[in-house]
C-alpha cells in the first residue's frame, strides 16, 4: 500500500479543522518557563505516516454491520493519539477501502461546522462566580493558554481544552487521533466525508443550559482534572483502545473516577448514550444508498444503548471484526 500525498490545501483544511474542534485557544502563550507547557504536535508529514505504516497494527474496535445485501462498518475510535498510531491497521484499512463514504460524528472539514465551533469559543462569556473564574484562569495559565481567550465564549467549552492539554502531557494529541488518520486517508483517496450529527447537535450535548449549570460543570471539571486518578484514567483508556480491550472500555464507568456527582453523571449520559439513537439513525439512513465506514468514539459502542446493540435492533447483522 502506498500513501497518496495530500495537497497543501488539504493539509490546511485538516489543520484548521482540528484546531477548531480540539482547541478552545487560538495560540499558545509562552511563559517565562516554556518547558512547563504541554508539548505541541508537529503536522502529520509524509515521513511520519510512512514510519507509522511500517509498524501499523489494528487498534480500536471494528464491527461489520450488514443489511439488505450491503455491508458497512462501525469503528470505535479514540479522539487523541500518538504519532506512531498515525496509520490504519490492515483490517481497518481493508474495511475502509470497501466503503463509499467516511462518516464521522461531525465533519470537521465543513466550514459551517467550523463556524459553529468558533461561535462556542468566541461568543458572549458565561457569568461565573468570581472565585470559580479565578480558578479557571489559574488552571488555564498553567497550561500556557492565552488569558484573553477566557473573556469570550462558553467557559464549559473552554474547560475541555484543559483536558486536551492534560492528554498532550501524556503524549496523546487530537491531531494524531483516529479521526485524523481516517480523514487523511479519505481526503487522499477522494472518499467523501460526512457528519452523522450537526455541530449544533453536538454542542447542545456539550454546552450548559444556563449559567448555573455551566458553573457546576466547570467546577467539577476542574476538580476532576486535579484528582490523582485523572492521568491514570486517561492512560488506561488509551491502553484499552490500543490493545482492543473492549471489556475494559465496557467497565469505564467503574474505574474512570469521573462519574462521582449528579452533574457528572447527567453530563455523561447526555454526551454519550443520549446521542446514540441519533447516530444510529444517521448510519441507517446512509447505509440505504452506500456502504459506510462510521467512526465514532469508543464509549458510544458499549452497553444496551451502544451503537452495535441499537443497530442490531434495527435489523442489522452485527459482527465484531476485532
Amino acid at each position: 500500500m502506498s500513501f497518496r500525498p495530500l495537497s497543501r490545501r488539504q493539509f490546511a483544511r485538516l489543520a484548521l479543522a482540528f484546531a477548531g474542534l480540539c482547541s478552545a485557544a487560538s495560540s499558545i502563550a509562552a511563559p517565562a518557563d516554556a518547558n512547563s507547557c504541554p508539548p505541541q504536535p508537529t503536522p502529520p508529514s509524509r515521513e511520519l505516516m510512512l514510519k507509522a505504516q511500517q509498524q501499523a497494527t489494528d487498534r480500536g474496535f471494528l464491527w461489520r454491520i450488514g443489511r439488505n445485501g450491503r455491508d458497512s462498518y462501525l469503528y470505535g475510535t479514540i479522539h487523541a493519539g500518538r504519532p506512531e498510531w498515525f496509520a490504519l491497521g490492515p483490517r481497518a484499512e481493508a474495511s475502509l477501502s470497501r466503503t463509499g463514504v467516511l462518516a464521522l460524528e461531525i465533519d470537521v472539514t465543513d466550514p459551517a461546522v467550523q463556524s459553529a465551533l468558533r461561535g462556542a469559543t468566541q461568543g458572549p462569556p458565561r457569568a461565573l462566580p468570581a472565585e470559580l473564574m479565578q480558578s479557571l484562569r489559574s488552571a488555564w495559565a498553567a497550561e500556557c493558554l492565552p488569558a484573553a481567550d477566557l473573556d469570550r465564549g462558553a467557559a464549559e467549552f473552554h474547560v475541555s481544552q484543559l483536558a486536551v492539554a492534560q492528554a498532550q502531557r501524556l503524549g496523546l494529541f487530537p491531531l494524531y487521533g483516529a479521526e485524523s488518520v481516517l480523514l487523511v486517508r479519505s481526503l487522499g483517496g477522494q472518499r467523501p466525508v460526512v457528519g452523522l450529527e450537526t455541530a449544533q447537535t453536538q454542542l447542545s450535548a456539550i454546552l450548559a443550559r444556563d449559567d448555573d449549570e455551566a458553573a457546576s460543570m466547570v467546577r467539577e471539571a476542574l476538580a476532576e482534572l486535579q484528582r490523582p486518578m485523572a492521568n491514570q484514567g486517561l492512560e488506561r483508556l488509551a491502553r484499552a483502545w490500543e490493545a482492543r480491550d473492549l471489556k475494559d472500555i465496557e467497565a469505564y464507568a467503574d474505574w474512570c473516577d469521573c462519574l462521582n456527582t449528579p452533574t457528572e453523571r447527567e453530563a455523561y449520559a447526555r454526551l454519550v448514550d443520549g446521542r446514540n439513537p441519533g447516530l444510529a439513525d444517521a448510519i441507517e439512513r446512509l447505509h440505504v444508498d452506500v456502504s459506510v465506514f462510521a467512526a465514532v468514539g469508543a464509549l458510544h459502542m458499549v452497553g444496551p444503548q451502544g451503537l452495535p446493540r441499537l443497530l442490531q435492533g434495527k435489523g442489522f447483522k452485527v459482527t465484531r471484526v476485532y
Side-chain angles (χ1 to χ4, degrees), residues 61-123:
F61 313 98
L62 183 67
W63 289 263
R64 183 172 59 253
I65 56 173
R67 197 178 73 175
N68 297 336
R70 174 176 288 127
D71 284 341
S72 289
Y73 293 88
L74 183 63
Y75 184 52
T77 68
I78 189 170
H79 299 321
R82 306 186 192 282
E84 60 268 27
W85 296 354
F86 207 83
L88 294 176
R91 285 179 288 181
E93 181 73 45
S95 299
L96 179 65
S97 71
R98 296 186 186 108
T99 62
V101 63
L102 170 65
L104 303 175
E105 293 177 27
I106 55 175
D107 176 10
V108 295
T109 66
D110 184 345
V113 170
Q114 294 172 17
S115 177
L117 294 172
R118 283 194 297 270
T121 63
Q122 298 178 9

Side-chain angles (χ1 to χ4, degrees), residues 6 10-19 44 175 180 183-184 187:
L6 298 184
Q10 287 172 324
F11 264 127
R13 287 175 63 201
L14 183 64
L16 176 61
F18 275 86
L175 193 58
S180 184
L183 272 173
V184 166
L187 290 173

Side-chain angles (χ1 to χ4, degrees), residues 54-286:
Q54 291 171 359
Q55 51 188 338
T57 186
D58 284 308
R59 304 177 179 90
F61 313 98
L62 183 67
W63 289 263
R64 183 172 59 253
I65 56 173
R67 197 178 73 175
N68 297 336
R70 174 176 288 127
D71 284 341
S72 289
Y73 293 88
L74 183 63
Y75 184 52
T77 68
I78 189 170
H79 299 321
R82 306 186 192 282
E84 60 268 27
W85 296 354
F86 207 83
L88 294 176
R91 285 179 288 181
E93 181 73 45
S95 299
L96 179 65
S97 71
R98 296 186 186 108
T99 62
V101 63
L102 170 65
L104 303 175
E105 293 177 27
I106 55 175
D107 176 10
V108 295
T109 66
D110 184 345
V113 170
Q114 294 172 17
S115 177
L117 294 172
R118 283 194 297 270
T121 63
Q122 298 178 9
R126 288 285 191 188
L128 298 184
E131 82 286 351
L132 180 59
M133 194 65 199
Q134 183 55 49
S135 296
L136 177 57
R137 288 191 183 280
S138 295
W140 195 256
E143 301 301 345
C144 309
L145 298 168
D149 285 3
L150 293 182
D151 294 333
R152 57 186 182 273
E156 69 274 25
F157 190 87
H158 286 319
V159 79
S160 66
Q161 175 61 13
L162 298 176
V164 172
Q166 183 185 64
Q168 290 178 179
R169 292 186 184 279
L170 297 175
L172 295 163
F173 302 92
L175 193 58
Y176 301 145
E179 288 84 359
S180 184
V181 180
L182 289 163
L183 272 173
V184 166
R185 298 299 295 137
S186 294
L187 290 173
Q190 305 300 311
R191 177 177 289 99
V193 178
V194 301
L196 296 170
E197 298 178 308
T198 66
Q200 288 74 20
T201 297
Q202 193 161 99
L203 286 171
S204 69
I206 295 171
L207 299 180
R209 288 161 289 198
D210 54 43
D211 288 347
D212 287 342
E213 185 179 46
S216 294
M217 291 172 68
V218 171
R219 184 174 288 107
E220 294 183 6
L222 291 175
E224 180 184 337
L225 290 170
Q226 293 169 1
R227 290 173 189 153
M229 290 292 292
N231 282 349
Q232 295 177 39
L234 187 54
E235 288 269 24
R236 183 170 175 175
L237 185 65
R239 286 197 306 270
W241 185 83
E242 183 179 19
R244 309 195 302 270
D245 187 349
L246 187 60
K247 287 186 177 180
D248 209 34
I249 297 293
E250 289 172 337
Y252 176 78
D254 297 328
W255 54 257
C256 74
D257 193 29
C258 63
L259 301 173
N260 300 307
T261 70
T263 299
E264 288 176 340
R265 290 189 290 271
E266 194 278 335
Y268 180 84
R270 190 170 65 191
L271 188 60
V272 182
D273 285 355
R275 291 165 49 213
N276 285 351
L279 291 167
D281 288 346
I283 294 169
E284 181 183 32
R285 287 193 298 270
L286 288 168

Side-chain angles (χ1 to χ4, degrees), residues 4-28:
R4 181 181 298 180
L6 298 184
S7 68
R8 287 176 179 266
R9 183 177 180 182
Q10 287 172 324
F11 264 127
R13 287 175 63 201
L14 183 64
L16 176 61
F18 275 86
L21 176 66
C22 303
S23 175
S26 59
S27 61
I28 296 296

